[in-house]
Amino acid sequence: MASDQTRSAILAAAERLYADRGFGDVTLRDIVAEANVNLAAVNYHFGSKDELIAELFVTRSIQTNRERLNELKAAEENGGGRASIEDIMRALVGPTLRGCLGPDREGSTAARFMIRASIESVPPIRRIKNREVDHLRKFAAAMRRAMPASNDTELYWGLHFALAMAHHTIREKERLLRLSEGKCDLDDVRAIIDRVVTVSVMALTMGDVPSKPALRPVVVHGRLTRQDL
Amino acid sequence: MASDQTRSAILAAAERLYADRGFGDVTLRDIVAEANVNLAAVNYHFGSKDELIAELFVTRSIQTNRERLNELKAAEENGGGRASIEDIMRALVGPTLRGCLGPDREGSTAARFMIRASIESVPPIRRIKNREVDHLRKFAAAMRRAMPASNDTELYWGLHFALAMAHHTIREKERLLRLSEGKCDLDDVRAIIDRVVTVSVMALTMGDVPSKPALRPVVVHGRLTRQDL
DNA sequence: TTGCATTTCAAACATTTGTATGAAACTATC
DNA sequence: GATAGTTTCATACAAATGTTTGAAATGCAA
């Protein structure tokens, strides 16, 4: 068998299994069984289990980052070199949300894998995620161009909150669905992106935050029971 | 030795080690060494490793939920039976943010443990988190009372985004610090709570989201390299 | 003290898991 | 078709890890 076939089979099987059952529950033996290859093939082609996971995650991350930057570039060219803050935020959260939500997501192993990576966060993935700051700086720069009057602190908080809403929606979509008893439509990706973008832009343009005294809670000491949960 | 002492020593040691090194890196042998008890004590007192983790997480969750509800109750009594939406959001995100951020957090093992639980999400914790919806419903009810004109969908999205900003700030505080090169002050917990509350209230009171056509990205097919990440 | 229940302890168990090995099969080049 | 390089395969290895066991120690009530 051509060497690339085995490699690809392993990658595909691993992504599918990790997406379905999580990193903790899937062993190399599960993967090679699914891929119909020999156990030793993983170490032969990838060096180690962690490098296999890293390769999966890097590939998908690159794709998402590419989409983001393409969308940003398109928005900048559309605006004659300067994109609107709204379009920048849309370029930031759109690709991820489109990839991980939506009615056709069942067919997308890649999307489910990225959701899983977002939830479980194993060491090889954590290491890669740390490099993501460099990518985000490009968005910070674009935002600075779009809002030259705003100070950097506000800008970073806005960027941070935009990612917060996008990622949390992906991570906790099941809970939101259950909490809202289906009232929040998680299949209408366009509306979700609009919502996240709108709130993000509002957060960015809200001016100074008034610092009002925080309410201190009354701490009640007492025996804790499971009911309290 | 009194049986409770061994129990407590195990709980304390486990919480500390999990907080410092994560669930994946800490074995029962590490825990019993730290607690100066016998290996079999864990299974004797807790039944299994997973039940030990569950007990740790349940205890801390109960505490947070108590603080939240106390703060909500105080706000409602302050407002003559009906709390303002702002105070409700503050009661929702305040306890968690105060617990997990701030300059004195180094001393708080409990806080670091909860951060870790938020990042890693092991099976026994995931199972417990699913019950959290019941707790959140109480906040949804309070919000409904505070904003009777608002529809449920908007309400749930606002609640969801508030938690998104709070949890994401806790989870990704290191990255935000690095991205902003220290400009975002993650020790000023009061300001962070104000910021999250302000944005949440804005999100809740913003009316209908205009659904404008989303910008479709130009998908570029090409060879991916690590540089693209 | 005696007797019974609880708790501790050292040791062993039983798996699971990622990795390594060396021979065999295969592929491509000359 | 011989040879060298690559890939596959069955098998073994070594280490880690949660759990169990049965005896010893301890605590406690009568």
Side-chain angles (χ1 to χ4, degrees), chain A residues 1 3 6 29 38 40 44-45:
Chain A
M1 190 193 281
S3 112
T6 302
R29 282 167 178 81
N38 188 269
Y44 178 77
H45 285 283

Side-chain angles (χ1 to χ4, degrees), chain A residues 20 32 70 77 79 119 121 129 135 138 159 182 192 205 208:
Chain A
D20 285 343
V32 298
N70 282 338
E77 285 169 357
I119 294 175
S121 176
K129 269 191 182 159
H135 175 251
K138 296 175 188 166
L159 176 54
I192 292 174
T205 53
D208 289 5

Side-chain angles (χ1 to χ4, degrees), chain A residues 7-19 26 30-36 56 109:
Chain A
R7 248 187 87 90
S8 307
I10 292 171
L11 284 169
E15 185 167 48
R16 186 152 14 107
L17 288 180
Y18 284 143
V26 175
D30 294 331
I31 293 172
V32 298
E34 181 85 358
N36 275 311
L56 280 170
T109 314

